[in-house]
Amino acid sequence: MSGVNRRILVTGGAGFIGSHLCERLVRSGEDVLCVDNYFTGTRANIAALIGDPRFEAMRHDVTFPLYVEVDRIFNMACPASPVHYQHDPVQTTKTSVHGAINMLGLAKRTRARILQASTSEVYGDPREHPQAEPYWGHVNPIGPRACYDEGKRCAETLFFDYHRQHRLEIKVARIFNTYGPRMHPNDGRVVSNFVVQALRGDPITVYGDGTQTRSFCYVDDLVDGLLKLMDSPGDETGPVNLGNPVEFTMLQLAELVLTLTGSSSRIVKAPLPADDPKQRRPDITRATKLLDWKPTTPLEEGLKPTIAYFRLALGLGPARSIHAPRAAAGTP
């Protein structure tokens, strides 16, 4: 994505992934409007951009209409961890559904191309492995995770209906587990949980027997994929899986975190949460063919700057390696 004086709206732009996306867009020469209600996002995530003439931040909740002039929209707004999206499940559903309606309405008025940050959670506890985009999923519509899972599924429905009915240029990315600097220390996701517990010397909590799997994509790789999807030909709507197909068990992740942190924490077991998927791995064939994209950061290498970030965030002093976002020359 190259700067041509486009005005790019990023909802949820002060969040974990959104803030990295805003940085990449600004550094590639785009004018960026970051919109966030700061429920899970923080001003600290975008502090380095404040004062840049190409960047503007606005406090706003996407469940209410927004009247701005933009050329492209990245709809990233929604709590994405169980701790946060289950805190107020009704509001989570509103953010996904009402937020999608409001952003699609804005895109319709301005004729902006719009990308929806969907999620691997649309596949639920999958009965197909790995998960490819044609798979419809296995989701409990009345369970404790449904506010997020079904909210995102409904948002996808709205995007495709606006595309068919109003000929909007849409892009739908299904994001799999992403990690990196600026994750919230208390978001309840497995990478942040394990790293924070290890750094504090607390027991590392592994749910179930630890054999359930996840695939972890470093945030820089994920942002590469989002930018490439937004720039793909207009008739390519997606959905497109974006994630790392290399699969790890929870026990493997816990042991790797212990090694990299040098922690003496012990691993303890706890009951598996309701509707927690037992396997999660993306089939990225479509992303590879359509976008010429695949993640390049091994888990061990991505965990190093992530751990360094959490050392500082927890007030444990500087670490050997601190994440530095890639220069604009590396932006697709």
Side-chain angles (χ1 to χ4, degrees):
M1 191 178 274
S2 59
V4 289
N5 293 321
R6 289 180 298 201
R7 189 159 172 79
I8 314 295
L9 169 62
V10 181
T11 70
F16 162 45
I17 297 174
S19 62
H20 286 277
L21 176 60
C22 285
E23 278 191 351
R24 291 282 293 278
L25 289 167
V26 168
R27 292 184 180 196
S28 65
E30 307 287 4
D31 291 327
V32 175
L33 173 60
C34 164
V35 166
D36 207 296
N37 68 353
Y38 300 108
F39 173 59
T40 57
T42 68
R43 292 184 183 276
N45 286 344
I46 54 172
L49 294 172
I50 300 298
D52 190 302
R54 292 193 177 276
F55 181 78
E56 180 182 356
M58 176 190 297
R59 181 188 288 270
H60 181 81
D61 189 319
V62 296
T63 61
F64 297 94
L66 180 64
Y67 301 100
V68 293
E69 301 303 318
V70 293
D71 302 300
R72 288 188 168 183
I73 302 168
F74 288 87
N75 188 34
M76 311 292 294
C78 191
S81 72
V83 167
H84 291 143
Y85 66 63
Q86 291 174 355
H87 172 72
D88 188 344
V90 172
Q91 185 64 26
T92 295
T93 304
K94 285 182 177 180
T95 300
S96 288
V97 178
H98 292 185
I101 291 171
N102 289 329
M103 291 305 106
L104 287 163
L106 176 61
K108 179 185 174 185
R109 181 179 67 79
T110 60
R111 302 312 300 175
R113 178 178 289 191
I114 181 168
L115 181 148
Q116 166 68 4
S118 190
T119 172
S120 62
E121 299 295 339
V122 300
Y123 299 120
D125 188 2
R127 293 182 173 179
E128 290 188 9
H129 192 75
Q131 294 80 57
E133 293 86 351
Y135 176 51
W136 290 355
H138 177 230
V139 176
N140 177 3
I142 60 172
R145 301 170 68 102
C147 59
Y148 185 68
D149 301 1
E150 295 287 29
K152 288 289 191 177
R153 286 163 69 94
C154 185
E156 287 196 15
T157 300
L158 287 162
F159 266 69
F160 278 91
D161 282 339
Y162 266 77
H163 171 67
R164 286 184 286 259
Q165 187 170 338
H166 301 296
R167 299 183 180 179
L168 282 191
E169 285 193 12
I170 67 164
K171 307 288 179 179
V172 175
R174 288 178 178 166
I175 298 172
F176 283 67
N177 293 65
T178 305
Y179 71 99
R182 299 187 200 143
M183 296 183 79
H184 196 290
N186 301 316
D187 67 4
R189 298 188 221 196
V190 65
V191 170
S192 52
N193 274 358
F194 285 5
V195 171
V196 169
Q197 288 170 340
L199 290 175
R200 287 175 169 164
D202 297 335
I204 291 184
T205 307
V206 171
Y207 294 100
D209 61 7
T211 61
Q212 67 271 35
T213 66
R214 295 293 184 272
S215 304
F216 302 101
C217 185
Y218 189 60
V219 64
D220 283 350
D221 291 332
L222 188 278
V223 170
D224 286 343
L226 291 173
L227 294 173
K228 285 192 170 189
L229 178 57
M230 179 62 97
D231 279 344
S232 63
D235 59 347
E236 298 289 358
T237 61
V240 175
N241 288 339
L242 295 179
N244 195 322
V246 180
E247 198 170 3
F248 291 86
T249 68
M250 296 302 92
L251 282 174
Q252 287 175 320
L253 175 65
E255 289 163 359
L256 181 56
V257 167
L258 286 173
T259 298
L260 293 176
T261 58
S263 174
S264 58
S265 295
R266 60 191 180 90
I267 296 174
V268 298
K269 303 288 182 66
L272 198 65
D275 299 329
D276 189 61
K278 297 174 184 63
Q279 289 181 304
R280 187 62 60 73
R281 176 163 68 94
D283 181 328
I284 61 168
T285 302
R286 181 175 290 181
T288 302
K289 290 181 178 178
L290 171 63
L291 310 178
D292 189 27
W293 175 87
K294 62 180 179 180
T296 59
T297 308
L299 180 59
E300 181 172 348
E301 294 308 308
L303 281 174
K304 291 175 183 177
T306 305
I307 291 167
Y309 168 79
F310 278 118
R311 284 188 191 276
L312 292 177
L314 297 173
L316 300 176
R320 293 185 296 273
S321 173
I322 299 176
H323 174 81
R326 289 183 233 169
T331 302

